[in-house]
Amino acid sequence: MTTPLLDVRGLSTQLDSDTGVVRAVDGVSLTIDPGQTLGLVGESGCGKSMTARSIVRLLPSGGRTVAGQVLFEGRDLLTLDAGAMRAMRGHHIGVIFQDPSTSLNPVHPIGNQIAEPLRLHLGLSARAARDRVVELLSRVGIPRPQQRISDYPHQLSGGMRQRVMIAIAVACEPRLLIADEPTTALDVTIQAQILELIAGLSSETGTAVLLITHDLGIAAGMCDRIDVMYAGRMVETGSLDDLFYRPRMPYTWGLLDALPQLGMDRHTRLATIEGGPPDLSAVMAGCRFADRCAWTRDLCRSTEPLLTARSDAGHLARCHGTDAGGWIG
Amino acid sequence: MAAYLLKRLALLVPVLRVVSLLVFASLDLTPGDPVTSVVGDVPIDQATRAQIREAYGFDRPLHDQYLGFLARALQGDLGYSYRNHQPVLDLVLRAIPSTVSLMIAAMIIGISVGMVVGTLAAIKRGTLTDTTLMSLATLGLSIPSFWLGMLLLLVFAVNLRLVPAIGRDDLASLILPAITLGVGSAAIIARFLRSSLLEVLGQDYITTARSKGVSPRRVITGHALRNAFIPVLTIIGLQVGTLLAGAIVVETIFTRRGVGSLLLSGINNRDFPVVQGTVLFATVSYVVVNLLVDVAYTLVDPRIRHGGRPS
Amino acid sequence: MRRLLHHPSATLGLIVLTFVVIVAIVGLFWTPYDPYAVAPRQKFLPPDAVHLMGTDQYGRDILSRIMYGGHLTLLTGFLSIAMALSIGITFGVVGGWVGGRTDLAIVATMDILLAFPAVLLALGIVAVLGGSVTNVIVAVGIATIPVFNRVARAAVLSVTARPYVRAAVAMGCSDRQIIVRHVLPNVAGPLVVLTAITIAGAILIGSALSFLGLGAPPPEPEWGVMLNDARAYMQLGWWLTVMPGVAIALTVLALNLLGDGLRDLLDPTSRATDAHA
């Protein structure tokens, strides 16, 4: 077994809010091997973005990581000093954010924004950085890069802006690329192109990808492994096949049912999971999905199930009902 | 860009027309015989009175007087002071350098102090530093400039004799007036920049900058300040009007020559050509400065340069 | 109100303002000495137990003058803003509600008023009308109308665009009902903030005009006039310069603190109501 590139252990992150302290990420563990693509899937508000932001230590104000380790190539990022952490960001770990229209600085030309990490981390001269920026722009599929280099973000379309964001994130050929809902804010027609671009870059340079998405379908097309989060907890983790053909957690079933399928009648409404996620500032006993689950029993409400191994190696799920001696077939 | 500027300059014409009309109409609204303003309280006979009336055109209908005034004004003739009979244009032109240098000095103080204080307060949000700086800014807003000027004179000129109190036109005598005039602007700019910067620091592109490994200092200077400065620019443009009005007070306290003291003496002496001339200057400079602010916008905010409005 | 009292600076502002108002009211009926009484042998006396704030160039008791003059300064602030508030809101609501040419005419007039900085505008109006306390109030009032007009008009426009107001119109509610029930409650917060801040500004402008000799005439103990008097005697007694200024600054500071506190409570997202710009 290879040493994982990223090994997150028992990560817990809290947020201050008007209603109290929200336990946005609660004891989450995940691993990514070099070059691998991991999908982190869940509804909005389940803590997947907070997990990513905890890893790179870019939490919004009022957020703090209270427990856990984030081992990146064996070093715990959470214990690095601020300077060493900055040397990681943009160099060994690149980040792509959800909304490219707000994630690029409106007052700087895109060329400068892409060149910044190159000059900062690789010490490139202005001229060398410029050459590299042109190369990057053309690699991410922006036509006539020589001319676009001095464009401002508002002069580009949404898809083009996301390509620029990707160019920024991969400029220094990071070993890990974190893509936080990279296509959610984009047109459906452009989503596939952007995903293809990320996948292509990843396989070319051997960059591992942590893909965060609420769409199991997107994850299916991109990922080697998928982790499902619910209400701050990891609820199921396994290979693509495990998750799609042998899911062992009712919440994952719900996500699968919500996917549109080929040959489905246009008028059939997609299934949705009834109800909403629980209040994360309240203290909870039992399974966090219990209120929305059709198979809930008393045990689910009193004792939270553990993440336990299932049939295949590396397939874990958090459910009493599907565990050994459970009541769901 | 050039076309845009020309369009903005063309806007100056209707504004000046309204202003000149208002200033002119105010003449007619003013109680009392304008002849008295010319000769003062010297008793004169009816014949002389009629003569003066004719010489100054007071006998003609108001719109006629106004058109004549406009025609002459366009040729650079703003009339003659009722008091000392000098050309108003000369009086105003001679007063401009002193006032403009005072305003520039005050603006430099206002912007530099305001920027430093506002930035520092935003970075140290919620700390004692923030509270202290913002309390000082509120105090700066609340102190009347004429009182501040007198206090500065009292401390530095009367008691410590560090700077010349009044009179001379050198740099040293500019210090106290410029501080007096600049404190209010500094306070306003500091308050605006702080809230603007706090807003910008919560934006996604700041997180992007941090995700690139940019240091906190560079995040502020390289990524946040320029964005935060955009709304502050409007404030700076508006401040020019306030500074202009403040110049009247400051020039009075420090007995400086300038457009402000010229205007005040014009008002006190009912010397209307002088009032007209100085008010015209004030309006033109206000409009021109705000035009410059618009140009500055396009330099700072590329979205406007390309024809849009900032969102 | 209770929340206001939990806001430290607003509480401070409210306390100081109440104190100033009480002192000014008391000053109307009782002062330690006659504020106008000239006593040539007691001029330039420094502050002591007899004259808490000292005496001026005519031997008048400065504390008495500040107490009695307080109503002039406060009235300038309150009355001019009351005027600006009522006229500004009326025109703003009418313009925004009626729309069309009426609205255009009002907006154009306000734009012309806004083309001048408030202080210059007030100065110009006083220059035309002549200097007196009443004229200063009118001048400052006129100069501040656009501020209220704009807020009221914007509120009308945004409120009338909302579905529930359109529904109310469709159901046949009268204009008056809609304005009173839907429009005014929506602007109440920003207007309260604006009022506090513009009163502070009005006091500053008013006292500046008096200082320049365009407001209350000299024997009156208006605070700006007192400071103008003090200019000639600065080296003879610091208290002549310091005392009236402290009175003005304290009043304005109290109003600004109150305004800031109110803004935090009533209008947390808005920077637009900063009338100091």
Side-chain angles (χ1 to χ4, degrees), chain A residues 53 57-58 86 89-90 93 95 97 102-108 113 116-117 120-121 152 154-155 165 168, chain B residues 203-205 207-216 218 222-224 226-227 230 300-303 305-306:
Chain A
R53 286 175 152 239
R57 287 167 54 186
L58 289 176
R86 285 201 300 274
R89 291 190 204 120
I93 304 175
V95 188
F97 294 98
T102 57
S103 296
L104 292 171
N105 195 322
V107 302
H108 293 300
Q113 300 192 48
E116 192 170 24
L120 199 66
H121 297 299
Y152 289 90
H154 71 272
Q155 292 168 292
M165 264 313 292
I168 292 174
Chain B
Q203 297 290 317
D204 287 346
Y205 54 79
T207 314
T208 304
R210 293 174 62 208
S211 82
K212 292 197 260 183
V214 175
S215 67
R218 265 282 299 158
H223 292 267
R226 199 160 142 193
N227 283 288
I230 293 168
V300 178
D301 190 345
R303 284 165 297 184
R305 199 178 318 157
H306 300 105

Side-chain angles (χ1 to χ4, degrees), chain B residues 18-19 22 26 29-31 138-139 141-144 146-147 150-151 153-154 158 188 191-192 195-196 199 231 235 238-239 241-242 244-245 248-249 252-253 255 263-264 267-268 270 282-283 286, chain C residues 112 114-117 119-120 123 127-130 204 207-208 211-214 224 227-228 230-231 234-235 237-238 241-246 248-249 252-254 256-257 260 263 271 274 276-277:
Chain B
V18 171
V19 170
L22 286 180
S26 65
L29 289 171
T30 315
T138 310
L139 192 65
L141 274 185
S142 307
I143 289 184
F146 50 92
W147 184 50
M150 291 172 74
L151 285 184
L153 271 180
L154 195 65
V158 177
I188 289 170
R191 282 164 62 110
F192 261 85
S195 67
S196 174
E199 203 179 303
I235 305 307
L238 293 173
Q239 277 303 298
T242 313
L244 216 60
I248 303 170
V249 170
T252 304
I253 299 166
T255 52
L263 174 61
L264 190 65
I267 290 173
N268 285 332
R270 316 214 136 254
T283 313
Y286 189 57
Chain C
I112 290 175
L114 272 178
F116 304 92
V119 193
L120 262 189
L123 186 84
V128 171
L129 299 178
L204 278 182
S207 59
F211 176 80
L212 292 173
L214 298 169
L227 278 173
N228 193 17
R231 281 183 61 211
M234 248 170 7
Q235 60 276 56
W238 55 267
T241 304
V242 170
M243 299 305 176
V246 169
I248 300 175
V252 176
L253 184 64
N256 277 334
L257 287 175
D260 284 353
R263 186 207 318 269
R271 279 183 296 148
D274 202 321
H276 293 301

